[in-house]
Amino acid sequence: MKLIGKVAVITGAASGMGKAIAELFAAEGASVVVSDLNVQNAKKVVEDIAAKGGSAIAIMTNVVVEEDVQRLIDSTINEYGTVDILVNNAGIMDNFVPAGDLTDELWDKVFAVNTTGPMRTMRKVLPIFTKKRQGVIVNIASAGGLFGSRAGAAYTASKHAVIGLTKNVGYQYAKLGIRCNAIAPGGVKTNISASNTEPNLFGAERTMAGMAIIPRVGEPEEIAKVALFLASDDSSFINGSTVTADAGWTAF
């Protein structure tokens, strides 16, 4: 068990990759905070973890709202005394909207969830990590943060920003015992595509050209194993890096 005695906060943990990460971290000994906008599903994840002997709590969090982020971390400390691991998993898609059709509203919405949300959670935990001179951050980025057309303009830019933020935090806090890495998943079986409610035909057509070369779609549990590696001491020499997990899709 690689996370015994650790406290892990995971956003977007009521389903998909976040759920798989929460369940695996709990199985590896961590006390897990299942954070999600859908608190009912988050509570179900907690029930499943508890049924297997793990420790977890559910906290309703909208990462777009600063007060929710503050409450998330404060409630975690009240329950478990500290935070050791932060996984920024919450995210949304952008309907494949290209730059020429992009609205300020969509741009702001996607960045608020995908980039500003992780910034706020990191901003909240970094003083805690700095004080005890240890802590781990794992950001869920995307293959869309590495290449130009795996989604629309807003999603692509937001995930590029997450990778840049990961590098910045990883380097700047390295001497304080803090590590910050990212995962860039390829296609994974999650419900994030449900946020693509009205796909832009032009943007979707251009994006789908790259989808034809995906070797296979991944399972959430496969990404969870990468997150466990980055959250544990097994990756003690890895910092400010982005691990691609896509079955070789971006190797083409």
Side-chain angles (χ1 to χ4, degrees):
M1 298 179 72
K2 298 180 178 181
L3 301 179
I4 292 177
K6 300 295 184 181
V7 177
V9 174
I10 304 163
T11 67
S15 63
M17 292 185 293
K19 177 177 181 287
I21 293 169
E23 292 173 339
L24 181 58
F25 280 22
E28 291 289 337
S31 297
V32 175
V33 177
V34 181
S35 164
D36 203 282
L37 190 59
N38 188 332
V39 71
Q40 294 304 317
N41 282 356
K43 288 179 178 178
K44 292 178 183 178
V45 175
V46 168
E47 290 172 1
D48 290 343
I49 289 173
K52 296 175 183 177
S55 175
I57 60 172
I59 299 178
M60 194 286 290
T61 311
N62 183 349
V63 296
V64 171
V65 179
E66 171 66 15
E67 291 77 10
D68 277 18
V69 172
Q70 294 288 327
R71 180 170 49 81
L72 169 62
I73 304 305
D74 290 342
S75 298
T76 299
I77 293 172
N78 289 338
E79 180 71 21
Y80 291 122
T82 191
V83 181
D84 300 292
I85 301 163
L86 170 66
V87 180
N88 284 308
N89 170 72
I92 59 172
M93 295 292 289
D94 66 353
N95 279 316
F96 306 112
V97 175
D101 297 332
L102 190 61
T103 64
D104 286 357
E105 180 183 11
L106 179 60
W107 176 271
D108 291 344
K109 178 181 178 181
V110 172
F111 262 81
V113 177
N114 291 357
T115 309
T116 306
M119 179 279 292
R120 284 175 168 157
T121 55
M122 287 191 281
R123 181 172 65 188
K124 180 65 174 177
V125 301
L126 279 168
I128 301 169
F129 290 176
T130 299
K131 185 175 181 179
K132 60 184 182 179
R133 300 186 73 83
Q134 66 177 40
V136 178
I137 300 167
V138 179
N139 294 320
I140 305 300
S142 169
L146 300 170
F147 293 86
S149 189
R150 296 297 187 264
Y155 182 89
T156 299
S158 72
K159 291 299 186 177
H160 272 74
V162 168
I163 290 174
L165 185 58
T166 297
K167 292 178 179 180
N168 177 270
V169 172
Y171 176 79
Q172 292 199 337
Y173 288 86
K175 291 187 176 182
L176 297 175
I178 299 166
R179 294 189 298 114
C180 181
N181 293 295
I183 304 172
V188 180
K189 295 176 184 176
T190 73
N191 62 356
I192 192 173
S193 60
S195 60
N196 278 330
T197 55
E198 298 179 6
N200 179 284
L201 294 180
F202 172 80
E205 180 184 4
R206 296 297 293 155
T207 300
M208 289 303 114
M211 302 300 179
I213 59 172
I214 293 180
R216 68 176 177 87
V217 176
E219 299 291 339
E221 292 76 13
E222 293 180 291
I223 304 303
K225 291 175 183 177
V226 181
L228 174 62
F229 170 68
L230 292 176
S232 73
D233 290 339
D234 287 350
S235 61
S236 58
F237 199 50
I238 300 177
N239 190 22
S241 297
T242 299
V243 177
T244 305
D246 67 353
W249 180 29
T250 55
F252 176 78

